[in-house]
Amino acid sequence: MKKVKMNIPDQGDYQLKEGLNQLKTNVAFCGEGIKVISITSSVMNEGKSSVAFSLAKTLAADGKKTLLLDADLRKSTLVAKYHIEGIEKGFSHYLTGQAGKEDIIYATEYDDFYLTVAGPLVPDPIRLLNSDLFGTFMEQIKEKFDYVIVDTPPLGLVVDAVIIGQHTDGTIVVIEQGVIKRKILQDVVKQLRTGNVQILGAVLNKVDQVSGGYYKYSYYSEGYSHGKHKKKQK
Ligand SMILES: Nc1ncnc2c1ncn2[C@@H]1O[C@H](COP(=O)(O)OP(=O)(O)OP(=O)(O)O)[C@@H](O)[C@H]1O
Ligand SMILES: [Mg+2]
């Protein structure tokens, strides 16, 4: 397996680390059967990709073999944001038959942390997500990892996250504090429920906390108990 190098910007914020540990604990309490988890939100920029990356890395640091799968085939920020070097093929190569599974999963310099990037943008992501190749990948990948964390595009704009969610054990909805109107969030929850995607919980992101006279941001998670005892409806 090929290995990539990356350069992660310092997240030296105590609140962020605390929030991530809390999120990791909540994920563990979702139960043993919950291992493929997608991350979505209502609109752009709420922090899905950041939460997906940090959660995957935190689980890996805990000794869980974890794959971060970037299934946002419309906008991928992973390679640029984390200065990832050495990637040749991404998920869109696999979904268009240009690469095998083994060609798109990369080890990283961090133990137990594996990556699949989105790859070049494709004209019709929905068609690819509805293909047998996608279903097969999602089915087979869970045998190889303790956790698969899947990044997706925002549900308020496109339905990709419902299709992706149907191949996961559940989804976490990222909510940027103060940005989303209740109605939009309700629509997103309805879309997920109609598609039989189990909602594991929510992360309230970019929370303003006045501390020592200046603002900080942090993750905050809650609501995992909703998914805890619920059977997947499929
Ligand atoms: N907790 C946080 N505190 C401060 N900045 C944050 C936090 N979470 C995310 N950001 C910043 O917000 C911006 C958007 O984050 P990110 O790319 O993760 O969002 P996204 O939901 O994946 O966006 P898109 O819908 O475009 O894919 C980035 O610049 C990121 O660094
Ligand atoms: Mg994103």
Side-chain angles (χ1 to χ4, degrees):
M1 184 182 288
K2 289 188 177 150
K3 194 167 175 175
V4 291
K5 272 180 71 177
M6 61 176 124
N7 188 351
I8 302 176
D10 185 29
Q11 290 187 311
D13 184 331
Y14 171 75
Q15 303 281 353
L16 270 179
K17 287 191 179 129
E18 275 300 286
L20 278 167
N21 277 330
Q22 173 87 53
L23 183 57
K24 180 192 73 183
T25 306
N26 288 338
V27 164
F29 273 100
C30 284
E32 227 184 313
I34 306 288
K35 47 192 293 184
V36 183
I37 299 169
S38 56
I39 312 288
T40 193
S41 74
S42 311
V43 296
M44 289 190 315
N45 225 31
E46 293 193 81
K48 293 175 291 302
S49 301
S50 307
V51 169
F53 184 90
S54 302
L55 175 60
K57 189 164 171 296
T58 304
L59 288 164
D62 218 29
K64 307 282 185 225
K65 191 177 176 192
T66 304
L67 174 70
L68 173 64
L69 168 62
D70 187 355
D72 185 347
L73 302 175
R74 298 170 188 271
K75 176 182 176 184
S76 180
T77 49
L78 208 55
V79 173
K81 181 163 178 186
Y82 300 103
H83 308 285
I84 301 172
E85 288 169 30
I87 300 255
E88 284 164 18
K89 304 274 183 188
F91 201 34
S92 60
H93 286 112
Y94 166 81
L95 293 173
T96 51
Q98 300 180 72
K101 267 199 311 292
E102 59 292 347
D103 303 322
I104 59 166
I105 299 173
Y106 289 83
T108 70
E109 64 227 85
Y110 299 93
D111 288 347
D112 292 316
F113 186 26
Y114 296 81
L115 270 183
T116 294
V117 304
L121 301 188
V122 291
D124 190 0
I126 304 272
R127 192 176 56 79
L128 294 182
L129 294 173
N130 276 319
S131 71
D132 288 347
L133 272 176
F134 180 63
T136 309
F137 184 87
M138 297 302 279
E139 214 32 64
Q140 293 179 351
I141 204 68
K142 61 177 102 170
E143 307 303 327
K144 297 191 166 25
F145 291 91
D146 295 319
Y147 285 104
V148 180
I149 305 299
V150 191
D151 193 11
T152 72
L155 249 181
L157 302 178
V158 287
V159 299
D160 304 24
V162 173
I163 304 169
I164 295 164
Q166 287 170 338
H167 292 273
T168 68
D169 300 316
T171 194
I172 293 172
V173 181
V174 176
I175 303 166
E176 182 175 351
Q177 191 190 43
V179 167
I180 297 306
K181 300 254 182 324
R182 182 182 289 259
K183 173 77 175 67
I184 298 176
L185 192 57
Q186 282 171 339
D187 285 349
V188 161
V189 168
K190 197 167 151 197
Q191 261 179 293
L192 289 166
R193 292 212 168 120
T194 307
N196 279 336
V197 180
Q198 184 172 350
I199 301 170
L200 299 172
V203 170
L204 192 58
N205 194 25
K206 307 196 194 181
V207 181
D208 283 346
Q209 290 181 338
V210 183
S211 164
Y214 59 91
Y215 287 93
K216 280 186 172 177
Y217 297 95
S218 76
Y219 293 123
Y220 173 79
S221 58
E222 65 175 5
Y224 286 86
S225 56
H226 291 311
K228 215 155 85 184
H229 304 294
K230 225 168 139 190
K231 275 233 151 80
K232 209 164 131 193
Q233 311 155 343
K234 274 207 164 169

